[in-house]
Amino acid sequence: MRWVKKNNIEFASIIPALPDIAPPVPASQMIPEWFKKLPLDLQQDNHKPFPIMSSLIKDLNLHTIKKCPAVVDYFTEGYIIPFWCDMLIQRVGETFHFETNFSDDNGIGSTLEFHDEQQFSTYPFERNDYRRAVKFTSPWFFWTPPGWSTLFLQPQLHPNKDFTLFPGVVETDTFHQVNFPSVWHSEGERLIKRGMPFLHVIPFKREKKNLVISKWDEKHDHAIRDESFKLRSKMTGGYRQINKNRFQ
C-alpha cells in the first residue's frame, strides 16, 4: 500500500496485455454515442421581426440535456473499465453456457461464476430472468489511498438489456480484489465484446457525516433566493459560474 500516493487510484491487471488492449479510462472518454449525437439546442421557429434566430439568440435558446451540468458531470466522474475479452453467452431457460477463446487455466478474467438463487431469494426477478446470479470474475485489482473507498456500478445511461450488475462499495485502501455479480435477463445468444463499457468506478473519500433534517426557515429562504438570482442573472452558464466562484 505504501506505493499508492495521496492523489492516485491504481488499477493493476494480472493479465500483462490488458493494460495495452483494453485499459480503464476516464469516464469522459466513454460517453455513449446517443449522448454525443444529441444536439445542444432545441429547434425553434425563426419568428419575425423578433426574436430572430441569430447566432446570439441560439446561444441563449432552450437546450437539451446535453447542456445539463448534472448529466455532463456524471458522464465525466470516475473511470470506465471496458470488458476485457469477447465472451459468448448462450441461454435457454435455466440452461446457461458461456465461452471465450481462453482455456480454463487462464483463470480470473475469462470465467463466470454463479450464486444460487437462495442467496438472494427475495430479489424481485422479472419473469424471464435467469434465477442464479451471474458473477463476472475480474482481471483488475484496485488500490486507493488511505481513507478512500470505491463505488462500483454499471455505467448508467449506457443502454444494456442483457444484464444488470449489482452495485457495491469496497474499501479499496485495504481490500483490492473485486468481482461483479449480476442478474442476467436475455435469452438466446449474446456476445459481450472486448472494449464494451462494463463498469463505472468512482473513488470517494470516507468521511463521517451528520444527517440534519430541518424545517424551512428564513435562512433557507435567503439562501435559495440568493442562489436563484446568481443562476438567472446569466442567460446561460450560471450554474458553472456559481461553482467556479465558490473556490475563488
Side-chain angles (χ1 to χ4, degrees):
M1 268 299 300
R2 293 182 180 179
W3 70 82
V4 180
K5 297 182 180 180
K6 182 178 180 181
N7 293 324
N8 288 355
I9 175 171
E10 182 175 346
F11 303 151
S13 176
I14 63 171
I15 300 175
L18 200 53
D20 295 322
I21 62 173
V25 296
S28 59
Q29 295 183 21
M30 279 203 170
I31 294 175
E33 286 300 317
W34 72 263
F35 192 77
K36 293 179 181 179
K37 295 176 180 177
L38 188 69
L40 289 170
D41 305 299
L42 296 176
Q43 296 297 317
Q44 300 257 334
D45 294 333
N46 189 2
H47 300 287
K48 293 181 179 180
F50 291 104
I52 298 172
M53 197 54 62
S54 64
S55 58
L56 175 61
I57 295 295
K58 186 175 182 296
D59 288 340
L60 307 178
N61 196 18
L62 293 175
H63 308 302
T64 68
I65 62 169
K66 197 168 186 175
K67 278 195 175 179
C68 173
V71 176
V72 172
D73 286 351
Y74 167 75
F75 278 135
T76 60
E77 181 68 35
Y79 309 89
I80 296 291
I81 293 183
F83 203 67
W84 37 85
C85 66
D86 287 356
M87 180 178 287
L88 174 65
I89 293 179
Q90 298 170 307
R91 179 203 163 199
V92 178
E94 295 306 301
T95 303
F96 195 103
H97 170 78
F98 73 94
E99 60 183 82
T100 69
N101 280 332
F102 299 106
S103 60
D104 292 341
D105 58 4
N106 277 264
I108 294 176
S110 60
T111 64
L112 299 180
E113 297 176 356
F114 299 90
H115 288 300
D116 191 270
E117 180 186 355
Q118 292 180 351
Q119 292 185 282
F120 54 117
S121 59
T122 57
Y123 180 82
F125 289 102
E126 297 292 334
R127 183 169 61 90
N128 290 327
D129 286 345
Y130 186 60
R131 296 297 171 136
R132 301 176 68 193
V134 178
K135 183 167 71 174
F136 294 88
T137 60
S138 173
W140 292 102
F141 294 74
F142 308 89
W143 279 264
T144 49
W148 284 71
S149 294
T150 304
L151 169 64
F152 298 95
L153 71 162
Q154 191 160 348
Q156 303 298 295
L157 302 179
H158 288 257
N160 181 354
K161 296 181 180 180
D162 293 328
F163 62 90
T164 299
L165 293 180
F166 286 103
V169 172
V170 179
E171 295 183 6
T172 43
D173 53 349
T174 58
F175 192 86
H176 315 293
Q177 181 177 5
V178 189
N179 296 313
F180 306 105
S182 72
V183 174
W184 189 269
H185 308 300
S186 297
E187 290 212 48
E189 291 186 328
R190 296 293 186 274
L191 178 64
I192 303 178
K193 294 182 179 181
R194 192 190 79 191
M196 180 200 80
F198 173 72
L199 186 70
H200 197 169
V201 178
I202 303 177
F204 65 94
K205 189 174 184 179
R206 294 192 300 273
E207 295 179 321
K208 291 185 178 179
K209 298 179 177 64
N210 298 318
L211 174 62
V212 178
I213 301 175
S214 304
K215 292 184 177 180
W216 192 272
D217 61 20
E218 188 175 345
K219 69 175 181 293
H220 301 109
D221 194 58
H222 284 316
I224 293 302
R225 286 174 182 268
D226 186 52
E227 179 184 285
S228 180
F229 180 81
K230 290 177 181 177
L231 179 69
R232 299 184 184 281
S233 63
K234 289 184 65 64
M235 288 285 193
T236 185
Y239 174 84
R240 295 295 186 201
Q241 191 66 46
I242 290 171
N243 285 280
K244 179 180 177 181
N245 291 340
R246 287 175 56 201
F247 300 101
Q248 291 182 348

